[in-house]
Every structure is written in structure tokens, then in C-alpha cells.
Amino acid sequence: MPLQRWLKAGWSLVGALTLSGSLAGCADGDGGRGSGVQSPKMAMIKARGSLICGTDGKLPGFGFLGSDGRYAGLDADTCRAVAAALLGPGDKVEFRDLNPSERFAALSSGEVDLLARNTTMTLSRDAAGGNGLSFAPTTFYDGQAVMVPAASGIRQLKDLAGKPICVPGGTTSELNLADRMREQGIPFTPLKFQTLDQVYAAYRSGRCAAVSTDRSQMAAQRSTFPKPEEHTLLPMVLSKEPLTPATVNADPAWADAVRWTLYGLMQAEEMGVTQANVEAKVVEAKANPRKAELRRFLGIDGDFGRQLGLPADFVVQAIRAVGNYGEIFERNVGQGSKLKLERGDNRLWTQGGLIYSPPFR
Amino acid sequence: MTRLPQGLATTPLATPLTTPWWRHRRLLPWLVQGAVGLLVLVLVAFLLGNLVRNLTNAGLLLTWSWLHNPAGFEIAETTLPFNASMPYWRGLLAGLVNTLQVVVLGLIGATALGTATGMAAFSSNGLLRGLARLYVDLIRNIPLLLQLLFWYFVVFLALPNGAAAVQLPGLVLAKSGLYLGQPQLVNDVWQAPLRMSVEFASLLTGLVVYTGAFIAEVVRGGVAAVPQGQWEAARSLGLGQALTLRRIVVPQALRVIVPALNSQYISLAKGSSLAVACGYTDLYSVAETTLNQTGRAVEVVLILLASYLVIDLVISALMNGLNRLVQLRER
């Protein structure tokens, strides 16, 4: 009886769907095994053997896919540090290029494990009732600025009255600019584009009198212009832009692991542990039981790693992969890079900056 | 098992009682349709249940109160007045008006261009026929997004500004916009009664040129479907070319053209959502910013889906009305 067979097939399909639905509902119960730390995300990353990290992919200094097929930049190295802390040596990162509009959806849907994509930490992005992200320590303290052609004679916001200004759509830059201009009662025309390439293409064609976004980002983009000296970054600061990696709210253990790996990089700079001397430091700490703080930090004593659901030597692995915070900064955006940005606010707190790791205790 | 319900068995033309039930010509379609319907229902229920369960887990169950919060972003050009202190719903509405504006002008432009090009295929001038063919073949085969990027970045943004702008009688083309009427240069800035931003102009041009190519084919097909004998009959009656077209050919061709035109109009309306590629703030662009600021992805996408659906359904309804008008009314 063909009909009966069809019906039977239909019912088994319905059964399979219902079953797969209920399975999907309880599939993520198992966590990071053996450590007592419950983290579905970390279990998933370990099983996969690689960390999927969302970056810009087109922003020099932060996340940039070079001609050698390798991602370079501060954000890319953040990803590498976290991957090394969790999975050990071997650059086990898969990068995904995300535009500003898709980045949060990509993170909350689980398409990427970690978002390190020059993203500003804000209340609504952090709050459970907003985007519901969980932010790690800020890796770059930035501020919004305005770039204009040097020959335009524009020196302050007032000069931009009634003029078109290019901004990347769906970013804090768009809102901050609207806020500042409204405060000062200056009318302007915002031209929004989905990608930075389009923003700068429109700016360079002369369609906009100015472009406004994060200062570091504009410095980075300007370095790729044929004649960078023809464009000026105006000195005023429109907003605070703490660029911060983020994970999802739903997995606090994973957020902690990311947070303390990044604090580890900052603490390493403070303690003078570098990519070059990390092996020597480990040997030194092992030989000298009186170096209690260094021994705890490098995972020789104590169980910080286990508490986080990470290997005991997670800090050592991260430093081995990318160096300490200062090294990452100088290599990607500082004096060792094309951008040549000053450390400024991104100096250690001991040198008057804002980079500060809570104690490893 | 072989017994059938009374009502089914006694209907005229019903199969004899001896027919097994799975071959019954009235019962069987009901069973099959019922099974398919049930399957679809179960699938929809599963997907909806999945959505609600996961949204609840993520604490993102549908809410609409955010629509009343101040938007905080500006929109470059709006027909409906808007500023950053107005609520999100007003921003979305302004975006919708912007979309409708480009869609309506686009429909008019594409129809005019398409009709002209479609008719050019029947011209006795070989050069004109060739040009029409070239236009259709070139434009039809390049993705709309690439064409929009081309119009914006390569054509309109390459226009000079100020005194160097392209000046035509009653029209000035500059990087700062298209000025219609009697444009005047005041302090190196053009002023005119009617101004169109280059973003809007690129989107409109892109949509008109792209959809025009498809409409040209529809028109050509429609006219070609009118039998040659109709032309000849008209000529033998002594009707001129224009009169033949207006009274004989077009009324018959419209019957073929209108249904196919419907699809092209709908595709133009949907294509307008690519506006963001050339910096024009349409509904999709506003919705994207709103989504980013509020994090209400599902709600914003639902609003988008509903808006484009309604626009397309309205176009469809109008075209169906037009279709009824041009159809042959047979007695």
C-alpha cells in the first residue's frame, strides 16, 4: 500500500524532527571536562581543535589579511593569544572577516567564539537586555576623531556645518557624531556605508568633506593612502572608544578564560616577561622557590589554570605565541609598524597609562 | 475497511463500493493534502518553537517598546522630516518613505526606458536595433550590486564640483548632487529648486537601467507575439505606423506584457534594498542601524520582511487590476 508507506515515512520524519529538536535543546549540557568548570564553548573549541575568531580583516594594525595570507594586527594577536592559552602551540585560529553590522549577530549565533574586531565597549552592547555581550579587558583605548583633507581649511566641527560627513553605518561613530553635532547645533549630512572600504572610497573621491571614526583606525587607513600627508586628523576627541574583545554573556567561564588570558599579557609586560625571555623566566622560576609571584603567574605553583578551565601554563603559552601586551602593541600599531601610533593612554598604569591587570592571586 | 462514509459513497459519479479506499477519487486527494498540510504544520511549529525557546534562553523574546526610544542617529536625506531625537519607528518610517520614493520613480523610469528599448527592436534602423540589443545583453548579464557600485563610485563620484561641474540646459551634474530647474552658483555651491543627491541618483539610475533591460525584453516579446497579419491588415486598411501601434498592436501586446511586467516591477522594489551599496539611506539601511543600536535582530528583520512583502503585494494587486483591464473580455 503506497499511501500507508508514505504515511509511515511521514510519521518517522515527524518523529525525527521532534527528536532532533529535543536533542538540540539539551546538547550543550556538557562542559570543560575534568576541571569542574562548566563551559560549553570551551568544550566545543577543544573538540574542534581551533578557535574561530571574528576580526575586521581589512584594517591595518588591528585585523588585516596580508598578501602572505596571514592575519596580522592587535586583534589578530589577541585571538592567537587566547587560542594558545586554551589549545597550546600551533596558531590554532580560524579567522572570519566581519563587517560592523554582522559582528554581533555572528557572535551571539555562535558563528565565532570570540569577537576581536576593534569593537567599542558600551552599556547597551554589554547589557543582557541589549546585545548581551561579555567584554574582556580593553586592549586599545581609542577616541573618535575627524579626518579632513589638509587643504580644505577645516579646523573644527563648526567648519563642517551643512557638509556631508562619511561614517561607517551601524557603529558608535555614527551615533557619537550625531550627538556632538546636535549638542553644538551644527547641521550636517551623514553618509553611511556598510564597509570601511566604501567609506574611504567615498571620502577620497571628495564626496564627503570629512570622515569620522576611531582615531587609530583612520591613522591606519591613512597609512594606506598614496599621499598620507594630504590628510589631517583634527585634534579634538569626539568620544571615548575603548576597543575591547567580546564573548557571549551565556558562557561566563569562557569569558573568564579570555579575560584572564588578556590580563596575563598585560601582567607579563609589567613583570618584564617577554616572548624572548619567557623560557628563561620559566627556568628561573622553577629553580627559585622564593619567586612565589612569578611561579604562580607562570603556572608552576597554584592552580589558576585549573580554576579557569585552562592548562596550568596558559600564560606561558600565550606569551610564547605573541609576546606580552607591549610587544603586541609595538609590533602592530606602535613604532614597529607602519602606523607609528604613540602608546599614549595605552601605556601601563605604572607609566601613567590605563593598561592595568588585577592581581594574579 | 472497504466500507465508505455515506456521503462519499452516494455522491454522483462516485466510484463503486467495491473500489478499495486508497483508490477512491475523492478521499485520496483529501488524505494526501491532509498529510502534506500536517507535515508543513509540524515543521512550522517546530521552527517557531525552536525560535521561541532559543530567544527565551537568550533573553531576547520579542518586545516592541524600543520602537519608542529616541533613535540617536541622523538620516542624510528624508522626505518625511526626521532628526536624531525622534523615535526609532519614525526613523524606520522615514526610511520606508525613502524606499517608496526610489521605487516609484524607478518604476516610471524603467517602464519608459524599457518600452522605448523594446520598441527599438522593431525599428527599421539597423543601428538602433543593434544598440538596443547591445544594451539588453550587456545590462542583463551583470549583477545589480556591481552596477550600483559602478554608477556611484565610477560615474557619479567622478563628477567635478563647483564651477567645473557638468552644465546642461536646466541641469547641473556635480559631485554634491544633481540640480534641476535653473541652477545658480552661489559661493561655489550650486543652488536649484530641485536637488537630487548623487546617492539617490546612482540608485535610481542603477535600478532604471537594470530593470529597463528586462522590461525591454518583455515589451519586445509582447509585441512580437502580435501576429504579423495584424500589422499587414492595419496597413491594408491604410492606417499609419503610429495609429497601427496605438489601436492594433499595443492593445494586443499588453495582454502578454502586463503579467510579465509584474515580476519585473516586484524585482525592482526588492532590488532597491541594495541602496546601502551607494550610500542612500533607505528602509534597509535605517533598519540595519536600528538593529545595531538596539540588538533587536528578530523584530527588526520582521519589520523589514513585512514592509517589503506589503510593497510587493501592493504592486502585484495594482498590476493584477491593470491586467484585468487589458485582458480580452469574451462573451
Side-chain angles (χ1 to χ4, degrees), chain A residues 101 175 190 192 194 205 207, chain B residues 74 76 175 198-199 288 293:
Chain A
S101 313
L175 292 194
K192 296 174 217 178
Q194 218 169 10
S205 79
R207 175 67 183 100
Chain B
E74 297 279 355
K175 197 182 309 227
V198 284
E199 288 75 28
E288 194 175 41
Q293 307 307 340

Side-chain angles (χ1 to χ4, degrees), chain A residues 33 39-50 110 113:
Chain A
R33 269 145 297 176
S39 167
K41 200 60 162 178
M42 277 153 84
M44 198 196 291
I45 298 166
K46 280 182 194 159
R48 191 197 298 131
S50 66
D113 305 318

